[in-house]
Structure formats: C-alpha cells, structure tokens
Amino acid sequence: MAHLNVVLHEPEIPANTGNIGRTCVATGTRLHLIEPLGFRLDEKSLKRAGMDYWNRLDVSTYIDYQDFLEKNPGAKIYYATTKAPRSYTDVSYEEDCYIMFGKESAGIPEDILYANQETAIRIPMIGGIRSLNLGNSAAIILYEALRQHGFDHMQAEGRLRNYQWK
C-alpha cells in the first residue's frame, strides 16, 4: 500500500492548510507542516476548512526545514514550484515519497530549489498566471501520485442511496 506525504513549507493561509488536511485524510496521506506558520493550529478557519476531519489527520510539525530533514532522513522529496523545468507528470512517485509545497506568497525558497533541482516539478499553466491555489496544486499532484499507485488503498466506486448502478 502506497503511503504518501504532503509537506507545506511555511504555509500562511489557514483555509488552504485546512483544505489540504482534508484531502490528506481522504487519501490516507500524511501532512507535514514546516514552521513558521502564518496561523495557529487551533484557529477556527483552519478547522472549518478541514471540517470534522481534522481530528483524523496524521500531521507532524517541524521548527524549520532543517528539522524536517533531520527527522525524515533519506526522504525522497519532490519540490512543487512554478519555477521548475519539468512537469509533475514526468515523475514516477515512489511509495512513501514526500511532495513539498511552498508558502502562498513566495513558494519554496530558491536555495532549496537549486539544491534539489533534479526533483523540482511544476504544474503546466498558460503564461502570465503566477500560480494556482495551494490546495488545488496539492490535490493535482497528490492524485497523480495516487493514480500511479493504482489508488491501491482507496474506495474505487461510490453508491447511490436509492438506486443500484447497472
């Protein structure tokens, strides 16, 4: 069973983090938050976006990027950024890999990207658009990684309440 990890490097907007947390719960993905955060973890807006799923979230926090690296030695990390030369679909996501996203106002610091350019990935967009919403970006890339693993631990079909599918 593929377990994946989403990492938010210094997220600033609680609603985005709450939304990503809900996506992580729905997919069995671990969430890692690298401080400083632009909010408190007990904020109402964070929990509202995560709805009643927040208490089921597997979440870890780190005092900084170095602390994250030290507590996750040997982690295969993909760095999602608008500055990367290759698409997120050009990668084969390993089981237990980490997909990192930067803060809403500035992304992942360029020194981190430069040091890890072989695993920097991007979501293609038309020119003149700065970036997608952080929650949308995390969902797009996470679901590609899950698709590559055949959604192996996820419910594959839904049910109607009053009818049976033919």
Side-chain angles (χ1 to χ4, degrees), residues 12 14 16-17 21 32 42 57 71-73 84 96 99 101 103 125 142 145 160 162-163:
E12 300 166 315
N16 285 338
T17 300
H32 305 263
D42 61 352
L57 180 63
K71 290 180 178 167
N72 296 283
D96 293 323
I99 306 166
F101 300 86
K103 63 183 169 185
M125 297 178 290
L142 176 59
L160 297 172
N162 300 311
Y163 300 92

Side-chain angles (χ1 to χ4, degrees), residues 7-165:
V7 182
L8 302 182
H9 186 274
E10 301 179 5
E12 300 166 315
I13 301 173
N16 285 338
T17 300
N19 184 328
I20 292 166
R22 183 176 181 170
T23 300
C24 287
V25 170
T27 59
T29 301
R30 296 177 196 109
L31 180 61
H32 305 263
L33 302 174
I34 299 175
E35 296 177 356
L37 308 179
F39 50 86
R40 292 182 326 275
L41 288 176
D42 61 352
E43 278 192 28
K44 188 178 193 179
S45 57
L46 174 73
K47 293 189 177 176
R48 182 181 314 128
M51 304 213 31
D52 55 343
Y53 299 105
W54 193 257
N55 64 341
R56 296 170 50 192
L57 180 63
D58 181 359
V59 61
S60 299
T61 58
Y62 306 88
I63 58 171
D64 57 24
Y65 178 66
Q66 192 60 41
D67 183 41
F68 167 76
L69 292 177
E70 288 170 6
K71 290 180 178 167
N72 296 283
K76 177 69 176 211
I77 306 167
Y78 293 96
Y79 297 84
T81 173
T82 59
K83 302 169 180 95
R86 97 175 136 158
S87 172
Y88 74 101
T89 58
D90 295 335
V91 171
S92 293
Y93 298 92
E94 298 86 348
E95 186 171 325
D96 293 323
C97 72
Y98 294 71
I99 306 166
M100 181 180 288
F101 300 86
K103 63 183 169 185
E104 292 88 343
S105 65
I108 299 169
E110 286 196 2
D111 59 327
I112 294 173
L113 295 174
Y114 185 75
N116 297 283
Q117 53 194 295
E118 67 283 351
T119 56
I121 55 174
R122 68 175 281 114
I123 299 170
M125 297 178 290
I126 62 172
I129 302 298
R130 190 180 72 229
S131 66
L132 294 173
N133 172 274
L134 182 61
N136 293 340
S137 297
I140 288 168
I141 297 174
L142 176 59
Y143 267 86
E144 170 60 16
L146 291 164
R147 183 197 67 79
Q148 289 182 16
H149 289 275
F151 302 109
D152 65 358
H153 64 286
M154 301 173 78
Q155 182 177 335
E157 61 182 59
R159 293 186 183 97
L160 297 172
R161 290 184 200 174
N162 300 311
Y163 300 92
Q164 294 290 329
W165 290 111

